Amino acid sequence: MSGADAGPGPATQPVDGPLDCPACGESAAPGSRFCEGCGTPLRTAAQVPLVIDPDPPAAESGSGPGSGTTAPTAPASDPATAARPCVRCGGAVADDGYCTECGEPAASERDHWSEIPATWVAGVCDRGIRHSRNEDAMALHASADAGATGFAALVVCDGVSAAPDSDVASLAAATAARDALARGGPGGAEPVTGTLSARMGSWSALVASSSQVANDAILATVGEMADRDNPPSCTFVAAVVDGPLVVVGWVGDSRVYWVPDDGDARQLSVDDSWAQEMIAQGIPRADAENAPQAHAITRWLGPDAPDPAARTAATVPEGPGWVLVCSDGLWNYCSPADDMATLVRATQEAVGTQPGANGPDPADLAGALVRWANAQGGRDNITVALARFAPAAGTPDENASASTR
Amino acid sequence: MAEFSAEVYQNEFLSDGATDVHAIVTVTCTGAGTAGAESGGGVAEIIMVDTSGSMSGRNIEAAKHAASVAVDQILDGTWFAIIGGSHVANRAFPYPNARVAMVQMEPGARAEAKRAISMMTPGGGTAMSTWLRLADQLFETLPRSTQRHAILLTDGKNESEPRANLSSAVRDVTGHFQCDARGVGSRWQVDELREISTALIGTVDLIADPSQIAADFEALMRASMARGVASAELRVWAPQGSTVLFVRQVAPTVEDLTTRRSEAGPLTGGYPTGSWGDESRDYHVAVRVASKPVGSEQLAARVQLAVNGEVVSSGLVKAKWSADEALTTRISPEVAHYTGQTELATAIQEGLAAKASGDEATATVKLGRAVQLAQETGNDEATSRLRRVVDIDDEEHGTVRLKRNTSTLDEMALDTASTKTTRVRR
């Protein structure tokens, strides 16, 4: 980039120097091509088209392939045509489809992307190593501020590998469900309001219906593929954070974990899987999950879905922590909630906190967890979405935990 | 307009932990046209004829005839000169008293050159370094010539100077012009001419009888005139942190290019390939990369041909780690074929060297291995040349006995042809 010889530490951004990171806000060192914090490619002021947007959306949904219905953010380069830098080393990718530095094949936007709708909510969706395509999908939404009025909706769908074109189904499902949930958020078409218990009920209903919306979106998207013997299909998991409240819903074996900074972690979702049925019958978890048919899911979304309504659970967690939404590409390597908590805390320790930030950066953490899963072998697509849960000081009036499952 | 294409033959699947990637890249040139057609008169030819005392008789008459035949093949407009070489080098044409070092071919010059050739007389010793250095000086008078080619003919050993003189002259002129070297009869040294032709991107061959020189010169000069691409560079890109183990030309002949690398860009080595006509050459490239987890893919090399600094064709060598043994244990037939042919060349040369030094045990083992490899790779010409030097008891196992009273010519023919490869049957 041309700003390499800009003076050190300018107080204001030079026109030809790199802008602050569009993804995480980290200030950019002169001459740097990639964000120190999250690795997002940086552009110089001269390169960013001047977009006058008097009323930018409070929550934007990143640059992922699922952002079609929301306004794309200014720094999002055109994913279809722009040559993205190498995902492994940041080098330039040649026309022949491989990195000019390390030889890594070019990743398509669908193979690897991040969404950072707010500083406290982020996710990374990655193809992994073994699979030739990324059939996972995610869609995130968040209000700018966390805390008592913070709102986030995180949706992850894992396409069924055995059914061709499930990557199409999962992306359609995640995007539709995220948009349906956003309608209930502040500023949405039908904001959820009322007491904590009233909101708990409303959100549980909305989460259950969002998976039906997702299912309808799959049917609309796959068209004639629905008539196949093995039509495109996917799992579904969603987590809504509404102030002190967390409501989750699922169809299949993608998961939500609650990982508090202190205390015991919990898996908030309950897999719809053969393994879970065995565990329910008293088979030890390790045995059940390592059986060959462990991953057979008993419920899914798609044209042949037995029951597309998500089962839900609502909770009011105590103290700060992480709401972690993930596909089995992560949890396969770290299934028990305690192990997951250990992993998240150790990873958080390794990633550290950016100077000036209030807490650990979810984008850094999600990226590090995806890298960890790839380091374990990356046998499946990996999606990790995180919301930093930090209720405002002072406990809410109704400090109850309830489950409707 | 010349067009290049590159095809890659390899098994890209590597087992867990494997690091070495091998590929054969076939580069083919079509539509090369004639020498100078595109570079506009930048072509220069020099014919070097041995005029030492040993040439007296049939050899010098045949060589003079051959030089005249070669002159007939040089296209009008091409710059040229004739050198007579003994322990010193003399410019035979343009005449020594001419003010120009080289002239452009036209009918008058052709007739005058033939007259000059006819006046060449044998005498003196042999110091080929002086011939090469004079040729270099003559070419240097044409700084704008982009395509420089020479033919060198000798009948004897380079006896009038230390071997180091020849080696240092070869080093000094490398990259300045290309040279095909020919030895007539059985009293010249294969290693001396091979050193010249290898460094100067040419061929070496034995001409058993002087009557065959003319046909050979005619073919050499015609081939040179059909090389419409003055110069091209093979480029090999390999990823950060990897090692290029070797780069070899493996067809039509084996030439190790590894040490001729120059930096051609970031992570990219350039290897000279000289001029190109309508032809196809095969290259064996081996790269060592860091092993990656099963399921990973990466590019291990880009093998490209560049003309005038511009990449005209590119082949991709890939690495994909797999746990499927059916994929990873498969051996690329092309890689196996040329690996065998390269080993064949080495076995022949080492076997003959051992035989010459009286080490019959080593010679028997090496030439036996050569017989085995020639059979395995289907190089029938090598097999028939080997039969003149050894008696074969068991071709498959490489069991041979050294022949008594073999002719020197047969051994030299085997040696000079050792680097010629056969193409893999596809």
Side-chain angles (χ1 to χ4, degrees):
Chain A
M1 297 256 167
S2 57
D5 53 358
T12 55
Q13 289 187 347
V15 167
D16 57 345
L19 293 172
D20 288 349
C21 176
C24 71
E26 170 86 355
S27 62
S32 57
R33 292 193 302 159
F34 299 94
C35 175
E36 294 282 325
C38 67
T40 298
L42 300 175
R43 308 214 295 180
T44 62
Q47 289 174 294
V48 178
L50 191 59
V51 178
I52 299 171
D53 186 352
D55 185 22
E60 36 98 336
S61 301
S63 60
S67 61
T69 56
T70 55
T73 54
S77 55
D78 181 355
T81 54
R84 287 155 42 104
C86 172
V87 291
R88 191 160 134 241
C89 74
V93 174
D95 291 342
D96 58 25
Y98 292 88
C99 176
T100 55
E101 307 272 332
C102 73
E104 181 84 0
S108 72
E109 185 73 32
R110 187 70 184 83
D111 281 344
H112 178 97
W113 85 93
S114 314
E115 290 189 24
I116 309 173
T119 54
W120 60 290
V121 175
V124 174
C125 186
D126 185 86
R127 181 171 59 92
I129 292 170
R130 295 279 184 121
H131 284 215
S132 61
R133 69 168 66 183
N134 184 12
E135 291 172 318
D136 274 10
M138 68 175 176
L140 311 182
H141 178 96
S143 60
D145 295 322
T149 59
F151 170 74
L154 296 77
V155 183
V156 169
C157 292
D158 175 356
V160 175
S161 305
D165 298 304
S166 288
D167 55 327
V168 177
S170 63
L171 187 57
T175 310
R178 186 265 321 271
D179 293 345
L181 293 171
R183 289 168 62 87
E190 298 165 39
V192 171
T193 54
T195 63
L196 193 56
S197 58
R199 277 147 65 197
M200 209 178 263
S202 301
W203 276 120
S204 296
L206 194 47
V207 168
S209 72
S210 73
S211 69
Q212 315 237 27
V213 171
N215 202 52
D216 293 343
I218 295 175
L219 296 180
T221 303
V222 302
E224 289 179 1
M225 291 188 272
D227 300 331
R228 290 183 191 160
D229 288 345
N230 199 5
S233 42
C234 65
T235 70
F236 171 89
V237 66
V240 170
V241 178
D242 180 12
L245 177 64
V246 176
V247 179
V248 304
W250 65 92
V251 179
D253 68 350
S254 298
R255 293 180 177 177
V256 184
Y257 289 89
W258 163 243
V259 181
D261 291 351
D262 297 302
D264 292 340
R266 281 184 292 149
Q267 183 185 332
L268 301 180
S269 57
V270 181
D271 299 350
D272 296 313
S273 70
W274 182 90
Q276 186 59 38
E277 287 185 2
M278 292 302 108
I279 292 166
Q281 289 173 24
I283 308 281
R285 172 179 284 264
D287 293 352
E289 288 184 351
N290 287 317
Q293 62 275 55
H295 279 249
I297 51 176
T298 52
R299 296 206 309 145
W300 58 89
L301 297 186
D304 59 349
D307 171 15
R311 291 198 284 160
T312 62
T315 183
V316 181
E318 283 183 35
W322 293 106
V323 175
L324 188 160
V325 186
C326 65
S327 64
D328 58 353
L330 176 69
W331 70 250
N332 260 331
Y333 298 112
C334 198
S335 176
D338 290 346
D339 294 357
M340 186 63 80
T342 305
L343 171 68
V344 169
R345 288 165 188 158
T347 308
Q348 184 175 319
E349 189 76 19
V351 167
T353 299
Q354 295 299 326
N358 294 327
D361 182 62
D364 290 351
L365 186 52
L369 289 169
V370 166
R371 281 195 294 278
W372 177 84
N374 273 324
Q376 308 311 302
R379 286 172 177 278
D380 205 344
N381 307 140
I382 305 150
T383 306
V384 177
L386 290 164
R388 179 68 193 161
F389 183 83
T395 49
D397 50 349
E398 295 170 72
N399 192 358
S401 176
S403 172
T404 60
R405 61 177 186 249
Chain B
M1 186 66 195
E3 287 192 10
F4 286 88
S5 64
E7 285 173 280
V8 178
Y9 302 91
Q10 66 162 146
N11 177 15
E12 68 240 51
F13 294 102
L14 298 179
S15 59
D16 196 8
T19 57
D20 294 0
V21 187
H22 289 258
I24 302 297
V25 182
T26 299
V27 180
T28 304
C29 175
T30 53
T34 55
E38 278 181 40
S39 56
V43 182
E45 290 282 352
I46 290 178
I47 299 169
M48 288 176 264
V49 174
D50 188 343
T51 55
S52 64
S54 64
M55 288 287 287
S56 300
R58 269 184 80 202
N59 277 1
I60 191 68
E61 292 313 316
K64 284 157 72 171
H65 170 60
S68 293
V69 169
V71 162
D72 278 334
Q73 293 298 323
I74 297 175
L75 298 176
D76 284 6
T78 303
W79 297 88
F80 79 105
I82 314 290
I83 291 175
S86 57
H87 58 287
V88 289
N90 296 297
R91 194 177 75 205
F93 188 84
Y95 293 111
N97 60 354
R99 277 177 299 160
V100 290
M102 297 186 78
V103 294
Q104 272 186 295
M105 183 61 84
E106 42 86 27
R110 190 175 283 115
E112 207 55 44
K114 288 182 183 177
R115 210 163 76 83
I117 290 168
S118 72
M119 294 189 294
M120 292 165 90
T121 47
T126 305
M128 287 186 267
S129 72
T130 63
W131 314 359
L132 294 172
R133 289 192 189 281
L134 178 59
D136 194 39
Q137 283 167 24
L138 300 186
F139 281 128
E140 280 304 309
T141 64
L142 300 171
R144 287 198 297 175
S145 64
T146 51
Q147 187 168 348
R148 302 166 174 178
H149 172 251
I151 300 175
L152 182 152
L153 175 78
T154 185
D155 77 331
K157 193 173 176 337
N158 194 43
E159 61 196 1
S160 307
E161 62 179 351
R163 177 64 187 266
N165 284 22
L166 177 60
S167 297
S168 102
V170 166
R171 259 197 314 279
D172 291 346
V173 306
T174 293
H176 298 182
F177 58 96
Q178 289 184 247
C179 184
D180 290 307
R182 293 293 181 267
V184 61
S186 63
R187 287 174 297 155
W188 55 283
Q189 292 285 113
V190 177
D191 60 331
E192 288 173 356
L193 292 200
R194 182 180 285 137
E195 182 176 343
I196 294 168
S197 68
T198 297
L200 304 185
I201 314 180
T203 58
V204 59
D205 218 338
L206 172 145
I207 300 171
D209 189 273
S211 64
Q212 299 156 340
I213 305 173
D216 189 71
F217 270 36
E218 183 180 11
L220 278 179
M221 195 55 78
R222 190 180 293 146
S224 182
M225 291 292 113
R227 293 198 190 108
V229 178
S231 165
E233 182 181 61
L234 185 75
R235 290 188 180 173
V236 177
W237 171 95
Q240 190 88 53
S242 68
T243 312
V244 176
L245 297 176
F246 60 77
V247 176
R248 284 184 200 134
Q249 178 184 290
V250 288
T253 56
V254 177
E255 301 288 355
D256 196 341
L257 306 178
T258 314
T259 57
R260 303 190 202 177
R261 177 187 175 106
S262 62
E263 295 310 309
L267 302 169
T268 306
Y271 305 85
T273 66
S275 55
W276 286 68
D278 286 351
E279 61 182 305
S280 163
R281 303 183 197 173
D282 291 352
Y283 297 94
H284 184 170
V285 174
V287 178
R288 178 165 294 164
V289 297
S291 181
K292 293 218 166 46
V294 164
S296 305
E297 176 190 348
Q298 85 162 96
L299 192 65
R302 290 182 176 90
V303 181
Q304 304 172 323
L305 207 75
V307 175
N308 298 326
E310 198 175 311
V311 173
V312 291
S313 75
S314 183
L316 302 182
V317 179
K318 296 171 188 174
K320 292 177 180 169
W321 283 268
S322 169
D324 185 347
E325 285 195 5
L327 296 174
T328 59
T329 55
R330 208 166 52 193
I331 295 168
S332 158
E334 290 79 11
V335 171
H337 176 82
Y338 285 126
T339 303
Q341 296 255 309
T342 304
E343 195 191 339
L344 171 62
T346 309
I348 290 173
Q349 289 170 25
E350 290 179 353
L352 289 175
K355 186 167 184 287
S357 69
D359 181 355
E360 295 202 349
T362 304
T364 306
V365 170
K366 295 277 185 190
L367 294 175
R369 176 67 182 146
V371 165
Q372 196 178 17
L373 287 162
Q375 194 244 352
E376 281 171 13
T377 58
N379 192 334
D380 298 337
E381 286 182 39
T383 302
S384 71
R385 277 190 289 264
L386 279 160
R387 278 187 193 285
R388 294 169 175 274
V389 179
V390 295
D391 288 314
I392 301 172
D393 290 338
D394 184 340
E395 202 170 1
E396 206 171 315
H397 294 95
T399 315
V400 301
R401 283 169 290 120
L402 298 182
K403 276 194 168 167
R404 301 296 145 193
N405 308 319
T406 55
S407 96
T408 315
L409 263 182
D410 284 338
E411 288 188 12
M412 289 171 72
L414 178 61
D415 196 354
T416 46
S418 62
T419 58
K420 285 181 188 163
T421 54
T422 54
R423 295 248 172 195
V424 66
R425 296 192 192 99
R426 291 187 176 125

